[in-house]
Amino acid sequence: MTDAPASQFTPRVFSGIQPSGGLTLGNYLGALKRFSEMQDEGRECIYCMVDLHAITVWQDPDKLRHNTRELAAGFIASGVDPEKSILFNQSAVPEHAQLAWIFNTVARMGWMQRMTQWKDKAGKNAEKASLGLFAYPALMAADILVYHATHVPVGEDQKQHIELTRDVAAKFNHDYGVDFFPMTEPVIEGAATRVMSLRDGSKKMSKSDPSDASRINLTDDADTIAKKIRKAKTDPDALPSEAKGLEDRPEARNLVNIYAAFTNQSVDQVLAEVGGKQFGEFKPMLADLAVAKLSPISTEMARLLNDTTEIDRVLARGAAQAREITVPILKKTYEIVGLVGA
Ligand code: AMP
Ligand code: TRP
């Protein structure tokens, strides 16, 4: 039995973001910007607010409702067009959770135990972590495979979960003797697959970092963005003229990566332009660029959130479109497994 290569399946892009509050520049450059670019390349794209994943750690219900709509606004303001892509929230499409249950029976405990996100999030207190947090990657595999999605744009940190998705697909296909689920490819591209903290170049920029100065939030105003970049940790040296010169300079490399991602250039192209400059000169250039790119997004997010009926309408329509794909795939899965009455 050979594993089904992604190429046997119609190319289809799927990705998700948790509505667990606050979008950062890392989410924008590592995910949202890439999502709208893939859509604009004319691919079939499906994007999801993974609220069922968010509740694997405690979420205040009112905040979760707000964060889901804010995230939807973030998608749309970043260029995801609901006329071109399917945009919805996970809990509105019950087939995700239904397929996840089947995958809970396919995935092995040992696979889950090896997940670095599980180890990081559960920490030393794994006994107290929710069962859902442990099973999180099986739900993620279901998110992707319930569409037979072939390509998943994500940041570097999600690579291991996509590998597990392939393991689930391969084991299901093998155990049931079918070529039903594709071997999904992660799409980890661009200069900013891992945007680092502005205060510590060894840590990922994250919405959960206690220091607000460590990140740029998509809701920050122009002054705040400029101030955070001016205060970003750097070193005293001038910028090099080639990428190799950034090797042992994580903070400098991070700022150059951010510049490269915003301007869709390679790091070498950026350094050809700014090599030799001091940070006193480069930081204002980066701040102007960040403000120019992010301000329209935060303005549009605020406008969309002013009246959430539009967002709710978009999400309801997206869920109906999504179910046109998921219902037949789940039905076929039930048949393969021998569940009567799908
Ligand atoms: P999360 O907010 O952790 O649910 O992440 C949503 C998406 O943003 C995923 O594709 C992540 O890989 C991506 N992402 C989150 N933080 C960063 C970061 N600092 N750099 C690049 N991508 C990121
Ligand atoms: N685990 C992803 C994250 O934390 C979110 C996610 C859930 C996802 N389901 C997905 C990403 C399916 C891509 C595809 O960022």
Side-chain angles (χ1 to χ4, degrees):
M1 177 92 248
T2 51
D3 296 330
S7 60
Q8 279 184 17
F9 293 81
T10 318
R12 183 176 277 161
V13 174
F14 179 92
S15 198
I17 298 187
Q18 299 189 58
S20 43
L23 282 169
T24 69
L25 180 65
N27 297 130
Y28 175 68
L29 294 176
L32 291 169
K33 179 170 178 285
R34 294 284 303 126
F35 295 174
S36 68
E37 286 167 353
M38 292 182 95
Q39 161 198 284
D40 295 340
E41 286 161 15
R43 301 182 189 226
E44 182 185 356
C45 295
I46 304 169
Y47 296 126
C48 181
M49 272 117 323
V50 290
D51 48 7
L52 298 175
H53 276 108
I55 59 167
T56 58
V57 296
W58 169 252
Q59 305 290 330
D60 175 83
D62 284 335
K63 285 197 187 130
L64 179 61
R65 263 184 286 274
H66 170 79
N67 290 338
T68 303
R69 292 183 175 123
E70 186 180 79
L71 178 55
F75 268 97
I76 298 168
S78 303
V80 171
D81 178 353
E83 297 297 325
K84 295 185 187 153
S85 300
I86 299 180
L87 182 67
F88 66 101
N89 58 310
Q90 190 184 29
S91 58
V93 178
E95 291 73 28
H96 289 236
Q98 289 175 288
L99 185 60
W101 181 260
I102 293 178
F103 287 170
N104 281 344
T105 71
V106 174
R108 306 288 97 181
M109 298 282 282
W111 301 1
M112 300 295 172
Q113 262 150 3
R114 282 193 286 278
M115 294 295 110
T116 50
Q117 186 170 306
W118 156 253
K119 290 191 236 175
D120 290 348
K121 284 199 176 179
K124 290 195 186 70
N125 227 347
E127 293 281 318
K128 293 265 167 64
S130 75
L131 189 52
L133 188 66
F134 189 65
Y136 178 117
L139 177 58
M140 180 160 163
D143 295 338
I144 296 166
L145 295 174
V146 81
Y147 298 93
H148 283 182
T150 54
H151 294 87
V152 179
V154 278
E156 184 67 43
D157 60 342
Q158 293 302 312
K159 196 169 170 210
Q160 198 186 26
H161 286 158
I162 309 294
E163 281 159 11
L164 186 129
T165 300
R166 295 164 65 97
D167 291 343
V168 168
K171 183 160 163 55
F172 182 97
N173 287 346
H174 177 267
D175 289 354
Y176 291 101
V178 290
D179 264 341
F180 188 60
F181 288 117
M183 291 298 120
T184 306
E185 302 281 345
V187 183
I188 303 174
E189 284 170 359
T193 54
R194 199 166 157 80
V195 178
M196 308 310 281
S197 155
L198 298 178
R199 308 300 311 162
D200 177 352
S202 68
K203 273 192 359 207
K204 196 181 83 161
M205 181 181 287
S206 162
K207 55 192 160 203
S208 56
D209 193 311
S211 158
D212 192 59
S214 72
R215 64 179 158 262
I216 292 173
N217 305 299
L218 286 197
T219 47
D220 283 345
D221 61 24
D223 281 352
T224 311
I225 294 173
K227 197 186 293 163
K228 286 178 177 174
I229 292 178
R230 261 203 322 275
K231 289 199 172 160
K233 187 175 164 203
T234 42
D235 55 46
D237 297 339
L239 283 161
S241 45
E242 285 175 13
K244 210 156 55 63
L246 291 172
E247 263 165 25
D248 298 318
R249 301 173 62 188
E251 283 87 10
R253 188 174 59 216
N254 189 37
L255 296 187
V256 174
N257 280 347
I258 293 172
Y259 193 97
F262 269 132
T263 54
N264 290 331
Q265 298 183 87
S266 70
V267 167
D268 278 323
Q269 282 170 322
V270 172
L271 291 175
E273 180 193 337
V274 302
K277 288 193 197 299
Q278 294 290 336
F279 280 101
E281 202 179 337
F282 178 63
K283 279 179 169 177
M285 288 172 66
L286 179 60
D288 286 349
L289 180 63
V291 168
K293 299 280 183 184
L294 298 180
S295 288
I297 297 176
S298 60
T299 308
E300 178 63 0
M301 280 176 74
R303 189 192 69 78
L304 288 163
L305 285 168
N306 209 11
D307 175 9
T308 55
T309 49
E310 170 68 10
I311 290 176
D312 291 350
R313 197 184 56 78
V314 164
L315 295 185
R317 203 185 52 163
Q321 291 170 325
R323 295 199 73 201
E324 285 174 23
I325 304 173
T326 60
V327 169
I329 290 181
L330 186 78
K331 185 170 190 298
K332 182 74 190 155
T333 311
Y334 274 25
E335 279 168 23
I336 291 170
V337 173
L339 301 173
V340 179

